[in-house]
Amino acid sequence: MSDNRLIVFDTTLRDGEQSPGASMNLTEKLEVARALELLGVDVIEAGFPITSPDDFEAVRAVARQARRSGVAGLARCVPEDIDRAAEAVAEARRPRVHVFLATSKIHRKFKLRKARGEILRLAVEGVRRAKAAVADVQFSPEDAARTEPEFLAQVVEAVIDAGATTVNIPDTVGWAMPEGFRALIEYLFEHVANIRRAVIAVHCHDDLGMAVASTLAAVQAGARQVEVTINGIGERAGNAALEEVVMALKTRPEAFSGCDTGIRTELLHPTSRLVSRVTGLAVARNKAVVGENAFAHESGIHADGVLKERTTYEIMDPRAVGLAKSQLVLGKHSGRHQFRQRLRELGFRLADKDVDAFFFGPFKELADRKKEIFDADIAALVETETVRVPETWRLCGFQVATATGGMPTATVELEEAATGRRTRDAATGDGPVDAIFRALERITGVALKLADYQIRSVTAGKEAQGEVRLEVRLGERTLSGRGVSTDILEASAKAYLGVINRVVARRNGKAPRPPSRRRPRRRTRTAKPST
Ligand code: KIV
Ligand code: ZN
């Protein structure tokens, strides 16, 4: 690889999965891993194998599936963690073990209760142990950005001597300012004698909204691996967003001495949508690169400018990130062939038989309700259908009565999929949506605690479909649901019933399943060691 070719290390499946409410099952992880590989990611960090049997299996399955990308498993500097991670990635074509140990004073004193010397010793032993199992070993001094630079340099030098091929410098808590972070990387290049024997990576969190800026500043200082996630998901405020880092490098090469990545940028949009769908984490409309508004021009002056010459107000070509130009696509008279073709253009890789069996019918129903079907409608429809969980309960219909000053009442009818038996019940609530949720709970016997409810229109106009995304708490877990309909009450009912079906599926040991895919194993997650 040339000196200017950056390694893209994607941690959507590990740090990204640490986003509250974002856990993915095995099938979903494999689907995301496939998409990451197609996107051109160099290394996929697939999970933290010691944390649970499911995490271990997921890393192993990704390792077996990966053709081109390397696959990394995370491990604390503990022998059992390292051995487990090495075992999980063993079948990858390019296996990597990623060992981490905190080095900052605050972590040494309060979390680890260890002195510098012991940290140094453990780091070296951890790397040596990993090295005995795999050739490609990455070490991360956790909370590096708050570590005393001279101690950090000592650790980096020692782990490279012990065999680390990549040393990652994490801004674990998003504390760094881009200038300071650049200076830290420059300091390491000046003070670590053997630094050219390893790749220097960076991993920045977004607590102060600096993750992408700090990552790019580090590239200017010589870092050659960027650790990122799709849509910037990750612990707390998330990680540096892959799409933003990649497009900054591509759009402003002169600012980064021509450094580039192997990412196929035209797959950024489909990959972003996939990750949003499987994690249930919506992408903000104004999110750079992949947000819905990223290429929308509202002001007349801007729209006029773009029509005359696109580059007046667009610094990136929407097609370069996978956004089709045409927005108006299909209608009531569109046939199967047109529908399949549009799905392919939107980045959905589905078998024709699945398109016919699962999506064409709902598309026709939607076309009956809505004259014009836009790209976003099609994406919403496919994404809703694909994350279908085994449906214990189906919504047959509902009726809502509400009046100013009155008590909203909802009557809901559900069908039990296994028996075809229909049940109707009614409930009152604080509002019509609440009444529907209560009626659903009465029929199914599943009581949930709503933690978040958001509604937005999928496209513009009076006929637009409404998308409801919600999160519920079930004990310690957060589950997310999504429903789309031209009727927002129906979208709400579908989203809530989706979560109820998910809960029932979990209780029965059945996880969500996309069409014509194998049923994944049951998820039995234990508490994760803190990273
Ligand atoms: O944020 C962090 O420090 C991490 C490490 C495990 C690299 O995620
Ligand atoms: Zn992290």
Side-chain angles (χ1 to χ4, degrees):
M1 266 191 209
S2 94
D3 210 27
N4 286 351
R5 165 68 159 78
L6 299 186
I7 297 166
V8 175
F9 177 104
D10 181 281
T11 183
T12 304
L13 295 176
R14 198 276 298 169
D15 215 321
E17 209 212 10
Q18 289 176 213
S19 308
S23 65
M24 296 170 240
N25 64 42
L26 178 61
T27 313
E28 292 164 337
K29 280 195 168 193
L30 285 173
E31 197 179 352
V32 171
R34 236 187 321 269
L36 291 174
E37 196 162 18
L38 216 62
L39 183 65
V41 156
D42 298 293
V43 185
I44 298 172
E45 185 165 53
F48 195 171
I50 194 76
T51 54
S52 72
D54 280 0
D55 254 54
F56 176 86
E57 286 305 333
V59 176
R60 186 152 70 170
V62 172
R64 283 178 179 156
Q65 173 184 274
R67 292 276 156 270
R68 197 194 60 82
S69 310
V71 178
L74 184 66
R76 292 170 299 183
C77 242
V78 175
E80 305 79 67
D81 277 40
I82 295 168
D83 297 349
R84 196 80 174 132
E87 193 187 339
V89 297
E91 290 177 54
R93 294 196 174 178
R94 293 196 291 121
R96 177 180 291 193
V97 171
H98 177 190
V99 184
F100 75 98
L101 179 65
T103 49
S104 67
K105 191 171 180 183
I106 193 160
H107 279 234
R108 293 194 313 260
K109 182 169 174 198
F110 296 105
K111 191 178 88 172
L112 301 173
R113 300 205 174 89
K114 294 194 193 315
R116 282 182 178 200
E118 203 176 347
I119 296 288
L120 204 54
R121 181 182 61 77
L122 288 172
V124 167
E125 279 175 9
V127 169
R128 284 200 184 127
R129 189 169 187 106
K131 195 75 185 177
V134 292
D136 190 3
V137 174
Q138 169 165 334
F139 179 81
S140 290
E142 193 191 7
D143 204 18
R146 292 193 298 175
T147 300
E148 305 89 321
E150 74 291 356
F151 179 54
L152 185 63
Q154 218 184 330
V155 174
V156 173
E157 189 159 330
V159 294
I160 294 175
D161 269 341
T165 37
T166 300
V167 182
N168 173 41
I169 307 300
D171 181 12
T172 303
V173 290
W175 179 82
M177 291 294 125
E179 269 312 307
F181 201 56
R182 182 205 323 266
L184 180 63
I185 302 299
E186 282 168 355
Y187 176 90
L188 292 175
F189 272 100
E190 275 161 31
H191 292 84
V192 174
N194 57 5
I195 198 154
R196 304 273 165 200
R197 281 177 22 212
V199 172
I200 296 302
V202 285
H203 172 116
C204 299
H205 278 270
D206 208 29
D207 300 63
L208 291 172
M210 304 287 170
V212 170
S214 292
T215 301
L216 292 170
V219 169
Q220 288 170 332
R224 286 296 175 266
Q225 175 175 298
V226 288
E227 300 209 0
V228 285
T229 59
I230 300 292
N231 298 337
I233 63 171
E235 188 79 38
R236 305 181 311 282
N239 291 66
L242 179 148
E243 61 279 3
E244 295 180 25
V245 170
V246 166
M247 289 314 290
L249 293 163
K250 197 177 165 85
T251 310
R252 301 297 308 277
E254 76 290 354
F256 303 100
S257 321
C259 282
D260 204 0
T261 66
I263 294 296
R264 293 174 62 197
T265 60
E266 67 280 8
L267 292 179
L268 287 173
H269 251 269
T271 314
S272 158
R273 277 200 305 264
L274 169 69
V275 169
S276 172
R277 161 165 67 84
V278 301
T279 58
L281 298 177
V283 174
R285 270 179 186 254
N286 63 335
K287 161 92 178 57
V289 183
V290 292
E292 247 177 87
N293 291 356
F295 293 92
H297 304 277
E298 181 71 21
S299 127
I301 296 173
H302 287 210
D304 180 55
V306 169
L307 283 175
K308 287 177 177 145
E309 167 53 43
R310 187 187 61 73
T311 54
T312 51
Y313 287 99
E314 272 181 4
I315 62 166
M316 293 169 267
D317 185 334
R319 283 166 303 189
V321 299
L323 258 187
K325 256 288 180 222
S326 71
Q327 284 293 301
L328 178 62
V329 279
L330 302 176
K332 190 172 165 158
H333 303 293
S334 308
R336 268 170 219 276
H337 182 72
Q338 253 177 306
F339 181 58
R340 287 184 200 147
Q341 171 69 20
R342 196 70 203 119
L343 285 173
R344 274 194 289 274
E345 284 165 9
L346 287 171
F348 293 104
R349 289 170 296 113
L350 297 161
D352 286 351
K353 68 172 178 21
D354 284 340
V355 174
D356 294 350
F358 295 94
F359 307 119
F360 193 63
F363 160 70
K364 280 293 190 189
E365 276 169 34
L366 180 63
D368 278 339
R369 289 202 249 171
K370 200 170 181 288
K371 267 208 304 280
E372 296 168 328
I373 311 275
F374 296 88
D375 288 351
D377 289 317
I378 296 180
L381 183 146
V382 176
E383 285 158 4
T384 308
E385 296 295 318
T386 316
V387 285
R388 234 172 234 274
V389 287
E391 267 189 326
T392 305
W393 297 97
R394 273 190 212 121
L395 183 67
C396 304
F398 66 90
Q399 227 180 353
V400 175
T402 180
T404 316
M407 176 82 87
T409 309
T411 307
V412 175
E413 187 170 286
L414 299 184
E415 183 184 88
E416 235 173 308
T419 58
R421 193 169 59 90
R422 291 188 170 207
T423 311
R424 185 182 298 178
D425 207 338
T428 56
D430 293 339
V433 173
D434 187 42
I436 290 175
F437 290 175
R438 285 174 194 239
L440 288 171
E441 289 184 352
R442 281 175 68 93
I443 299 175
T444 60
V446 176
L448 301 167
K449 200 164 165 342
L450 189 66
D452 192 26
Y453 174 92
Q454 290 180 29
I455 185 156
R456 62 166 202 133
S457 73
V458 171
T459 50
K462 277 207 305 262
E463 288 180 325
Q465 296 198 91
E467 179 195 52
V468 169
R469 282 182 188 258
L470 46 82
E471 275 181 19
V472 299
R473 299 286 309 160
L474 184 75
E476 289 294 289
R477 299 192 65 92
T478 304
L479 297 173
S480 39
R482 179 171 177 275
V484 179
S485 168
T486 46
D487 173 346
I488 58 168
L489 292 179
E490 187 178 306
S492 306
K494 282 179 170 175
Y496 207 67
L497 191 58
V499 179
I500 288 177
N501 276 329
R502 214 173 242 257
V503 172
V504 178
R506 268 176 201 281
R507 284 184 188 160
N508 298 341
K510 292 178 194 156
R513 186 158 58 108
S516 72
R517 293 259 164 78
R518 273 183 308 119
R519 178 174 299 170
R521 282 160 203 271
R522 188 144 70 104
R523 192 174 182 88
T524 49
R525 177 178 280 271
T526 53
K528 289 198 178 236
S530 85
T531 55

